[in-house]
Amino acid sequence: MDPDAPANQAPTLAQAVRAKMDGLTPRERKAAKALLAQYPVIGLEPVAVFAQRAHVSAPTILRLIGKLGLSGYPEFQRRLRDELTQQAASPLAKQRFPAEGRGKAGDALSAFGRALVENIEESFQDLPPGEFEEAVKLLSATNRRIYLVGGRFTDAIARYAAAQLRIVRPGVTHLIGQSDNWRDQLLDFRAGDVLILFDIRRYQEDLLQLAGASAARKVAVILITDQWLSPVARHASSVLPTRVSAPSNWDSSVALLAIMEALIAATTETLWDSARERIETLEEMRRLAD
């Protein structure tokens, strides 16, 4: 795959595996879960090593690959290598405006807008319903405390989401400051709490470390990531992939924001009786302050 491919490119292998999961045999499902847990590294190993690590036979691996619509293990590994190339792409390596958008500012704006709309549409279309429902269930359990954090560019979404969730339920915290400060806040994480984490390509090692430490404390990690899947996925109880490619030197976070807003809307609906009381109280506080 070309790292400059348009937003409506074919799903990643991770997305394809998740989409096929319900139709797999128990052994194939075991191999699929091993692949997702160690994505994509385990798939770059020889088929015998992949099978050994997944505790299945090599023919099971090959059957799984066939159900993904691939011709064989060489094509499977080529696809994984292509995805790794896309993951590592720097702003300098990415395409700017598409050919039809160059020259006239209006054409460029229209082309860019279409790409963002496609990102949102495809992200919602490919969103695993079970993963989304599990995330809403976690966010709606008011006995669980919620923590949110993102990367260099995506932390703005974490801060925005924390501000909205704080209105509809208690116990919501945006992790602020440098990553060294996260360890101090990690001390207060309890088993059953929830960490919402945003991480897109050129993934951050400090976020991976935080996710691992949180999972070790039995904190449920909800990962909102790109189509190639952050390494944080291995620690996450819910993984919500989105499309981030855009005709620009920069990735787009629009679909991540849209998925987060869908989570907030569903959580508000689930908690509406108590959320309404909180909103009414807040409105009264604002009225008295005026």
Side-chain angles (χ1 to χ4, degrees):
M1 290 183 187
D2 183 349
D4 295 337
N8 60 350
Q9 60 189 294
T12 64
L13 288 179
Q15 290 174 294
V17 169
R18 290 180 181 277
K20 296 282 187 180
M21 192 69 77
D22 290 343
L24 301 178
T25 67
R27 303 293 290 176
E28 291 165 353
R29 193 175 300 117
K30 187 175 182 180
K33 289 181 176 179
L35 174 61
L36 293 175
Q38 302 176 60
Y39 193 84
V41 177
I42 191 173
L44 297 173
E45 300 281 6
V47 64
V49 176
F50 182 175
Q52 182 180 30
R53 292 187 177 179
H55 302 289
V56 298
S57 67
T60 296
I61 302 295
L62 297 178
R63 285 195 298 272
L64 170 63
I65 289 169
K67 289 187 175 181
L68 297 178
L70 303 176
S71 61
Y73 205 69
E75 183 186 0
F76 169 71
Q77 292 196 314
R78 179 184 60 76
R79 286 279 301 274
L80 289 178
R81 287 192 293 269
D82 287 345
E83 289 183 18
L84 282 173
T85 299
Q86 293 178 66
Q87 287 178 12
S90 76
L92 292 174
K94 296 172 191 169
Q95 121 178 357
R96 297 164 69 190
F97 288 108
E100 72 270 19
R102 294 171 188 158
K104 293 184 178 180
D107 292 341
L109 184 61
S110 178
F112 196 88
R114 287 197 303 273
L116 298 190
V117 169
E118 289 172 355
N119 274 354
I120 294 173
E121 289 179 342
E122 293 179 12
S123 294
F124 277 83
Q125 178 181 327
D126 296 338
L127 194 67
E131 303 274 336
F132 183 83
E133 291 166 7
E134 176 62 20
V136 172
K137 182 179 178 181
L138 290 170
L139 296 181
S140 302
T142 55
N143 61 318
R144 299 174 182 265
R145 294 180 300 185
I146 309 296
Y147 299 91
L148 300 97
V149 70
R152 180 183 177 190
F153 297 113
T154 56
D155 193 54
I157 303 176
R159 183 169 62 252
Y160 165 83
Q164 287 208 314
L165 284 172
R166 200 175 291 125
I167 295 173
V168 301
R169 55 150 295 155
V172 177
T173 301
H174 172 230
L175 299 183
I176 59 175
Q178 298 178 348
S179 57
D180 284 346
N181 295 332
W182 298 346
R183 298 188 186 93
D184 302 339
Q185 298 171 81
L186 186 64
L187 289 171
D188 294 326
F189 284 22
R190 300 179 306 205
D193 286 347
V194 180
L195 173 65
I196 303 177
L197 193 151
F198 299 84
D199 192 29
I200 61 176
R201 65 177 169 182
R202 307 203 94 184
Y203 313 113
Q204 293 186 204
E205 182 64 26
D206 53 359
L207 292 176
L208 177 59
Q209 292 175 359
L210 175 64
S214 300
R217 297 176 76 89
K218 300 190 184 306
V219 170
V221 178
I222 298 173
L223 171 65
I224 302 180
T225 184
D226 55 27
Q227 60 260 47
W228 302 287
L229 299 188
S230 160
V232 168
R234 72 187 66 153
H235 301 299
S237 55
S238 295
V239 179
L240 305 177
T242 65
R243 296 298 181 113
V244 301
S245 297
S248 165
N249 292 103
W250 308 102
D251 282 334
S252 168
S253 295
V254 168
L256 283 82
L257 176 60
I259 294 297
M260 188 65 239
E261 288 193 329
L263 286 172
I264 293 169
T267 301
T268 302
E269 181 66 23
T270 302
L271 296 175
W272 180 239
D273 289 341
S274 60
R276 179 173 56 190
E277 292 182 7
R278 289 175 66 89
I279 294 171
E280 289 172 347
T281 300
L282 181 60
E283 290 300 312
E284 178 65 14
M285 292 168 64
R286 286 176 174 160
R287 187 187 67 79
L288 293 174
D290 290 339

